[in-house]
Amino acid sequence: LNQMEKAVEAAHTFFMANPEHMEMQQNIENYRTMAGVDVFQLVDREAKPHMESYSAGIKYYEADDFEAAIKYFEQALREYFNEDMECRILCEGPQRFEEYEYLGYKAGLYEAIADHYMQVLVCQHECVRELATRPGRLSPIENFLPLHYDYLQFAYYRVGEYVKALECAKAYLLCHPDDEDVLDNVDYYESLLDDTVDPTSIEAREDLAMFVKRHKLEAELLKSAAEGLGFSYTEPNYWIRENTITKRTSVQTSARREEGKKKSREGGKKVKQTQILIVHIKTLRSIIQSKKITKCGPLLYDNITFVYNSEQLNGTQRVLLDNVLSEEQCRELHSVASGIMLVGDGYRGKTSPHTPNEKFEGATVLKALKFGYEGRVPLKSARLFYDISEKARKIVESYFMLNSTLYFSYTHLVCRTALSGQQDRRNDLSHPIHADNCLLDPEANECWKEPPAYTFRDYSALLYMNDDFEGGEFIFTEMDAKTVTASIKPKCGRMISFSSGGENPHGVKAVTKGQRCAVALWFTLDPLYRE
């Protein structure tokens, strides 16, 4: 209908819920070009107001505009509690008999009434998860509601509102009473108060205090009802906080260091500087633990050359090695590839699954061995594909010092060939930026560990076979899918390996001439998902 603005809105809304869908991203650009307009306002028609305000708060917080951050976080909380009220009201009404056969349900009157209201209560209790989940997603944002108060406590501190900072810090502790960093903050904020203010008179924020009190009472009711009515109920952990603390403490302690220097220049008390130093040590420990920084294990084979570790590759759980294959093995593998690869293998026969400017071909170990036993390729060469895959698996398992067996999840010999006549003015990638076990969401700076991602993958490796092509560099990026942190030029025998999560977004630059071939390997620690 030539309504480009609405087309862009619809495409953007879909893309926000499906960030791995690169074709939709391309559609958005096409609509803009067709309309002759560089910038449409990107509108997510499914966006929740409290989520939008929360995202704006984070943006201003990270830009050190704490006044604006406070405004948006407070607005997000007001919207959140309004949405919570609406969510709970929508739970009132007929419920589903999911756990029993409806026609065989023979409860007495009082049992039926109690059962109905317990189903309503379960629905209302789940509003915490519902409001923390972006449209189109299955997984909620970790620690979502408490994070508002975590950001606010530090933002208020930075603008000198120590009473409000203390209220927010105490509110956060209602959900995480053992958080050492915030406990230290409480002590620190109390030390900054005027002598006329009694620290013990300052309570946690009433909005969250009432919310948590109700939440705990509901949980007790549900557990009691589950025992009395005989239905199963397990209280979920609604305040999971695996990936959020390091970011907050690292930002926070950096600002504290500035505060500490200022106090020192003004002749402040050394006690406070000691407190700040203690927090630095705790933060460093938490960063080390969160990034799983460990000593590297042996490479097992004498001829392999170590090139770069995680630190030198500006990331986490990364390693670059050379001479994993000999020149002769590279040539033999390349020869096997030409005899067994199919166009679009692994991608339902799609000739160009990642970019229209390249042809993609692939083959599995099983296919290579079958062709070998049938005499269609030399069996020795087919066996080499299997053997070098096993060699790579042993190296990864040893180098990362894994405590349990690493299994193959999927192994794929892949080649990408630049299509002639389609390389002028290319601005796409050979393989878009992605993570191997989660759905990368550059807009939200998140990686969602949920289907259709291969959530069981734990480690990945790429073993290169040649370098007689142009382009095709392997790149790591930040979660924004734009900021390149490391770039690796493939060559025979070179192997890059890394953990498969959102800490390692990666992709492949455009192959602009020739053919680039590699063995792609994905590993799992879960034997249920071994290849």
Side-chain angles (χ1 to χ4, degrees):
L1 297 177
N2 203 35
Q3 296 181 31
M4 294 304 164
E5 191 163 354
K6 288 187 177 181
V8 169
E9 282 185 11
H12 178 67
T13 301
F14 180 87
F15 186 66
M16 287 296 93
N18 302 272
E20 79 288 353
H21 203 288
M22 293 303 161
E23 289 91 338
M24 193 59 71
Q25 189 178 30
Q26 188 61 52
N27 285 355
I28 294 171
E29 296 307 316
N30 290 343
Y31 294 147
R32 284 174 161 175
T33 303
M34 290 162 69
V37 178
D38 289 336
V39 180
F40 272 127
Q41 184 180 1
L42 294 177
V43 177
D44 181 357
R45 293 171 61 166
E46 293 286 336
K48 298 177 180 178
H50 71 283
M51 285 278 191
E52 296 291 281
S53 298
Y54 174 76
S55 297
I58 291 176
K59 184 179 76 173
Y60 286 111
Y61 181 93
E62 291 181 341
D64 289 346
D65 186 347
F66 296 106
E67 293 279 3
I70 289 168
K71 172 189 167 185
Y72 281 101
F73 282 128
E74 292 289 11
Q75 181 175 314
L77 284 171
R78 289 192 297 273
E79 291 166 343
Y80 180 95
F81 291 123
N82 286 336
E83 292 260 353
D84 177 67
M85 190 183 304
E86 184 175 327
C87 177
R88 294 173 71 84
I89 290 169
L90 290 172
C91 288
E92 303 280 356
Q95 300 298 309
R96 297 177 182 176
F97 290 82
E98 292 179 351
E99 300 223 352
Y100 355 83
E101 290 292 331
Y102 178 72
L103 294 176
Y105 183 64
K106 300 193 184 316
L109 174 62
Y110 297 116
E111 283 179 312
I113 292 170
D115 188 16
H116 169 78
Y117 279 105
M118 283 308 104
Q119 290 191 56
V120 172
L121 193 59
V122 168
C123 174
Q124 291 177 336
H125 205 58
E126 277 287 300
C127 285
V128 174
R129 180 180 294 276
E130 175 75 20
L131 295 183
T133 306
R134 293 179 184 275
R137 302 292 165 75
L138 300 176
S139 306
I141 297 173
E142 293 175 352
N143 203 27
F144 181 64
L145 180 57
L147 268 178
H148 290 70
Y149 297 91
D150 193 6
Y151 282 115
L152 277 171
Q153 54 105 7
F154 186 61
Y156 276 124
Y157 157 69
R158 287 303 300 270
V159 299
E161 299 214 35
Y162 305 131
V163 171
K164 289 185 177 180
L166 189 52
E167 289 174 341
C168 291
K170 287 186 175 182
Y172 185 85
L173 290 172
L174 294 174
C175 300
H176 300 298
D178 60 342
D179 190 302
E180 293 184 8
D181 292 303
V182 179
L183 287 167
D184 286 340
N185 290 355
V186 167
D187 292 338
Y188 185 56
Y189 298 153
E190 286 179 348
S191 73
L192 297 173
L193 297 176
D194 293 336
D195 294 337
T196 57
V197 180
D198 179 9
T200 59
S201 68
I202 298 173
E203 301 288 341
R205 282 268 294 253
E206 187 177 3
D207 50 4
L208 188 63
M210 295 294 291
F211 187 93
V212 171
K213 182 180 179 181
R214 184 189 68 189
H215 194 76
K216 287 180 178 177
L217 286 171
E218 288 176 350
E220 290 173 18
L221 265 175
L222 287 168
K223 287 175 187 174
S224 174
E227 293 173 11
L229 293 170
F231 68 88
S232 59
Y233 178 76
T234 304
E235 173 76 1
N237 183 351
Y238 292 98
W239 319 127
I240 294 172
R241 52 191 175 117
E242 292 175 1
N243 298 328
T244 52
I245 297 301
T246 300
K247 183 176 180 181
R248 178 253 297 161
T249 51
S250 62
V251 172
Q252 181 166 289
T253 48
S254 173
R256 279 188 174 175
R257 183 165 59 246
E258 294 171 18
E259 181 72 13
K261 289 176 181 176
K262 181 180 175 184
K263 295 283 183 187
S264 178
R265 286 195 297 269
E266 295 172 356
K269 295 180 181 178
K270 291 184 180 179
V271 175
K272 290 181 183 174
Q273 292 177 336
T274 305
Q275 289 174 339
I276 292 166
L277 180 60
I278 291 169
V279 174
H280 274 303
I281 294 167
K282 288 178 180 175
T283 303
L284 181 60
R285 188 182 299 126
S286 71
I287 290 170
I288 290 170
Q289 289 170 348
S290 70
K291 290 198 171 186
K292 303 177 186 173
I293 296 171
T294 60
K295 293 180 180 178
C296 56
L299 297 176
L300 300 180
Y301 301 90
D302 293 337
N303 57 324
I304 294 175
T305 307
F306 172 84
V307 183
Y308 294 134
N309 61 15
S310 300
E311 186 179 358
Q312 292 161 319
L313 289 169
N314 302 313
T316 302
Q317 297 276 281
R318 302 174 180 177
V319 65
L320 183 64
L321 307 171
D322 276 349
N323 301 323
V324 177
L325 294 178
S326 67
E327 292 283 349
E328 184 182 345
Q329 288 174 322
C330 287
R331 284 193 295 272
E332 191 171 354
L333 268 180
H334 207 276
S335 175
V336 170
S338 61
I340 63 173
M341 285 193 306
L342 280 180
V343 174
D345 185 77
Y347 289 91
R348 299 179 182 176
K350 291 183 180 179
T351 305
S352 304
H354 305 302
T355 169
N357 302 306
E358 296 174 20
K359 180 176 71 173
F360 180 93
E361 300 168 280
T364 60
V365 172
L366 178 60
K367 184 180 176 186
L369 290 173
K370 284 174 73 174
F371 273 40
Y373 281 108
E374 292 169 5
R376 297 162 73 175
V377 296
L379 181 57
K380 173 177 167 290
S381 300
R383 176 77 195 198
L384 174 64
F385 183 11
Y386 172 84
D387 289 340
I388 62 102
S389 301
E390 175 62 14
K391 182 179 182 181
R393 186 195 67 79
K394 288 179 178 177
I395 293 167
V396 173
E397 185 180 77
S398 175
Y399 179 83
F400 290 114
M401 298 180 70
L402 304 179
N403 294 323
S404 55
T405 304
L406 192 66
Y407 302 96
F408 289 107
S409 165
Y410 191 59
T411 310
H412 209 197
L413 197 159
V414 296
C415 290
R416 306 162 189 276
T417 307
L419 296 175
S420 60
Q422 293 184 211
Q423 303 307 312
D424 292 342
R425 300 178 186 173
R426 273 190 71 178
N427 59 2
D428 64 344
L429 296 174
S430 174
H431 199 133
I433 304 299
H434 64 285
D436 286 340
N437 72 9
C438 52
L439 304 177
L440 189 63
D441 184 348
E443 293 285 334
N445 236 34
E446 293 277 1
C447 203
W448 307 95
K449 204 164 183 180
E450 60 185 50
Y454 300 100
T455 56
F456 47 83
R457 290 177 176 173
D458 294 299
Y459 285 87
S460 309
L462 289 150
L463 183 52
Y464 299 110
M465 293 156 47
N466 66 318
D467 60 5
D468 54 341
F469 55 88
E470 292 179 9
E473 292 89 350
F474 176 94
I475 53 173
F476 285 113
T477 73
E478 299 284 6
M479 270 212 186
D480 62 6
K482 296 176 183 176
T483 308
V484 176
T485 57
S487 179
I488 293 137
K489 178 70 178 172
K491 70 174 186 176
C492 167
R494 173 163 284 180
M495 185 174 88
I496 179 73
S497 182
F498 47 92
S499 56
S500 304
E503 67 279 4
N504 282 319
H506 58 279
V508 179
K509 287 188 176 181
V511 178
T512 54
K513 186 178 181 182
Q515 185 183 65
R516 174 191 190 272
C517 293
V519 177
L521 306 112
W522 293 276
F523 306 103
T524 179
L525 294 167
D526 188 341
L528 290 174
Y529 292 99
R530 62 184 173 185
E531 188 174 33

